[in-house]
Amino acid sequence: MKIVYRNIACPICGCKQHEFLKENKKTYVQFNGAETAWEFDNKIVICNQCGHIYLNPSPTEEILTEYYSSAMTLYDDASSFNINNRIVFLSEAWDIVHPNQKLAGGGRSYCEIGSNECREYKAVLGNYFDHITCVDIDVNADVDLNSVNSLNAKADVIAMYYVMEHVGNIADMLKKCYDHLNENGILVIEVPNIESYTDNASPLELLEHVNHFSPISLMNVCGRNGYKAVHFSRRMASRDYGFAVAFIKGEMSLENSIGLINKASVKEAWDKLEEVRPMNIHKLVQSFCMAETVLWCANDMCKEFLIEYESKIGKYTGLIIDEDPRKCNFFEQERVYTSAEAVEKIKMYRNIIIFSEVRKEVIFERIKQLVDETVRVEYVDDWFEIHRLQ
C-alpha cells in the first residue's frame, strides 16, 4: 500500500519555504495477522524560517491513522524506557508548579496519549494518581481509548512520550491537550532529540517520524499554541536519545532559529548511516558463524543483515527468535520462532546477537533464563557496531 502524501507548510511557524535535505524511500512490511507492505517515499526538509526539520510532502492524516491503527509493536512491559526517570521528572515538574501540594494522594488524574500497553508503568502511576486514562490508536493495544477525540474528562497531567514526532497536525494535537488539561495542569512531552542523532540515528531513519525536534523547536511550537515551559531535562529523559519538557498553560517568549545546528545533525547522522553502517554490516557478515549463532529480533535491522549475508555467503538456515508470534513469517524464506517454541534449540548455540538496542535489556533477561553464562550475548547498535552483554 502506498503512503499518500500532501504538501504542507512548516508545522511550527507556517512558512512555506523549505530546503530539501534527504530522501528515505523504503517499503515497511507490517504483520498483524495479515501482511501489509507500506511503501514510503519520505522527503526530509528544513524550514527556511525557523529551522524545523520535517517531512514535506507529509503523509495525510487519514493514511497515518490507518497505518498507526495496527502497525505499532505492542509492549506489555517498560522495556523500552526508564520508568524511574519518568516519575522523577514528573515529580520535579509538579513540585515546581505546585510547591505546596504533594503529587500523590490528592485524587489527581493522569492521561497518557500514545501509551501503548505498558502495564508495569501504569501500575507505578497508580501510586500517584487515582484516575488513569491510557489512549492509543493501535486497535490491538489494551488501553482505555483508541482516540484523543473520545476524551471527555480533564486531567491534572497529560503526557505524550515519543508521540509528537509521529503527529502530522501538531497544532491540532496541542489544542486537544489544552482543552482537556486542568487550568493548573501539566503537559509532559518527551521526543527524540535531533541533536543526539549522530549517536543514535534510529529516530531519523524511522519512516513514520514526520517531525524531528530540537529542544528549541518543541518549545517554540508549544509556545505558539498557548503553553509555557516550566521544566526541561535531557538527563531525566526516559530514553537516552530524547529530552523531556513540562508545560503549563501560559505565554512564553520564542527562541531564535537554530536551523544550522539541526541541518548539521541530520547530515552527519545520515552520512554515518550511508557510510559507516554498510561497512559494519559487511564486517559482521564476514565474521559470522551461522551454525553457532542465534539472531534475536525479526525487524528491519535483522533483515538488512540477512540480505547482506545471503548476497555474500548464501542461503540463511539458522535460528531466528522474536517474542511476537505475529512475526513468524516476517522474512520471505526464514521461519521466526518465539523463545518458548525454541527453548531446546536455543540451548544448542554458543552465541546470540540481539538486533535491538532499545530492548536489549529485557531480551537479555529472557536469554539468561534459557542459557548459561558460557553463551556469548551481544547486541548491534544503529551503526551495526557489536557490543557484548555477556
Side-chain angles (χ1 to χ4, degrees):
M1 181 178 294
K2 287 188 176 181
I3 297 294
V4 181
Y5 293 86
R6 61 187 175 89
N7 290 313
I8 63 169
C10 173
I12 289 185
C13 71
C15 177
K16 295 183 179 180
Q17 304 300 315
H18 61 265
E19 176 188 349
F20 171 80
L21 297 180
K22 289 289 180 181
E23 183 177 42
N24 189 11
K25 189 174 184 178
K26 289 182 181 179
T27 298
Y28 175 78
V29 180
Q30 167 195 334
F31 289 90
N32 265 324
E35 177 180 325
T36 305
W38 295 87
E39 298 178 26
F40 286 84
D41 187 8
N42 290 349
K43 293 176 175 59
I44 304 172
V45 305
I46 181 170
C47 174
N48 287 354
Q49 181 167 299
C50 73
H52 179 56
I53 307 283
Y54 62 105
L55 297 188
N56 195 16
S58 178
T60 65
E61 292 296 310
E62 293 77 15
I63 201 71
L64 282 178
T65 298
E66 184 177 354
Y67 174 79
Y68 289 134
S69 65
S70 58
M72 307 303 287
T73 299
L74 298 180
Y75 295 117
D76 60 2
D77 52 59
S79 61
S80 65
F81 61 87
N82 187 311
I83 289 179
N84 182 66
N85 281 15
R86 287 192 179 181
I87 295 298
V88 169
F89 180 82
L90 176 56
S91 299
E92 290 175 348
W94 185 267
D95 289 342
I96 291 170
V97 179
H98 304 282
N100 299 317
Q101 300 177 29
K102 290 184 178 181
L103 177 59
R108 309 193 198 289
S109 56
Y110 173 95
C111 174
E112 184 171 344
I113 299 170
S115 62
N116 214 289
E117 294 192 343
C118 295
R119 300 182 184 95
E120 184 181 346
Y121 180 49
K122 189 173 181 179
V124 175
L125 287 171
N127 298 322
Y128 299 87
F129 298 94
D130 289 356
H131 308 284
I132 300 172
T133 302
C134 294
V135 184
D136 199 288
I137 197 171
D138 192 332
V139 295
N140 298 295
D142 182 16
V143 292
D144 302 298
L145 301 171
N146 288 123
S147 172
V148 179
N149 295 328
S150 300
L151 288 172
N152 54 23
K154 292 195 173 185
D156 296 298
V157 173
I158 295 178
M160 290 189 289
Y161 296 101
Y162 300 92
V163 171
M164 291 293 282
E165 64 271 23
H166 299 267
V167 175
N169 194 330
I170 300 175
D172 183 62
M173 176 63 79
L174 290 174
K175 183 180 187 307
K176 289 173 181 175
C177 292
Y178 192 98
D179 292 342
H180 289 93
L181 187 67
N182 284 330
E183 285 308 306
N184 295 314
I186 298 173
L187 172 66
V188 175
I189 299 177
E190 193 169 315
V191 293
N193 187 354
I194 195 171
E195 297 169 8
S196 300
Y197 282 9
T198 52
D199 296 320
N200 188 318
S202 58
L204 174 62
E205 193 179 22
L206 283 176
L207 296 164
E208 60 266 26
H209 284 187
V210 299
N211 290 290
H212 301 277
F213 292 101
S214 67
I216 288 179
S217 64
L218 180 65
M219 291 186 197
N220 278 351
V221 72
C222 290
R224 291 173 184 271
N225 286 276
Y227 293 94
K228 176 183 178 181
V230 293
H231 192 34
F232 167 84
S233 181
R234 291 185 180 91
R235 183 177 61 87
M236 296 311 300
S238 62
R239 292 177 180 168
D240 293 341
Y241 53 81
F243 65 88
V245 187
F247 298 92
I248 60 174
K249 294 179 178 181
E251 297 181 359
M252 66 176 179
S253 58
L254 304 181
E255 299 288 338
N256 293 327
S257 165
I258 54 169
L260 291 178
I261 297 176
N262 294 347
K263 183 177 178 180
S265 296
V266 168
K267 184 179 185 306
E268 183 178 349
W270 206 269
D271 286 346
K272 287 180 71 175
L273 284 172
E274 292 181 338
E275 297 172 12
V276 176
R277 190 157 77 173
M279 179 178 63
N280 287 337
I281 295 175
H282 178 74
K283 288 167 58 178
L284 178 58
V285 166
Q286 295 303 315
S287 63
F288 182 78
C289 179
M290 180 172 63
E292 298 181 351
T293 308
V294 177
L295 306 183
W296 204 296
C297 283
N299 55 22
D300 286 344
M301 290 190 70
C302 188
K303 183 181 292 186
E304 281 189 71
F305 168 79
L306 289 175
I307 291 172
E308 177 73 9
Y309 182 90
E310 296 188 344
S311 70
K312 297 294 191 299
I313 308 297
K315 180 175 172 55
Y316 185 84
T317 58
L319 183 61
I320 306 175
I321 301 295
D322 195 288
E323 299 295 38
D324 188 341
R326 297 171 300 177
K327 291 186 175 182
C328 62
N329 296 313
F330 185 85
F331 305 109
E332 291 184 7
Q333 304 291 333
E334 299 81 6
R335 169 79 155 83
V336 180
Y337 299 86
T338 65
S339 61
E341 292 173 326
V343 172
E344 296 305 318
K345 289 183 179 180
I346 293 170
K347 293 178 181 179
M348 298 169 60
Y349 288 80
R350 297 175 56 186
N351 308 307
I352 297 174
I353 299 178
I354 301 169
F355 284 83
S356 175
E357 184 171 5
V358 171
R359 303 198 73 222
K360 63 182 183 293
E361 286 89 359
V362 71
I363 293 173
F364 185 40
E365 290 303 314
R366 174 57 177 159
I367 290 171
K368 288 191 291 186
Q369 296 172 7
L370 301 174
V371 302
D372 60 36
E373 295 180 356
T374 63
V375 175
R376 184 185 184 97
V377 182
E378 300 169 308
Y379 74 91
V380 294
D381 63 19
D382 287 344
W383 318 114
F384 267 86
E385 292 180 349
I386 292 287
H387 304 269
R388 187 163 181 174
L389 292 171
Q390 172 175 293

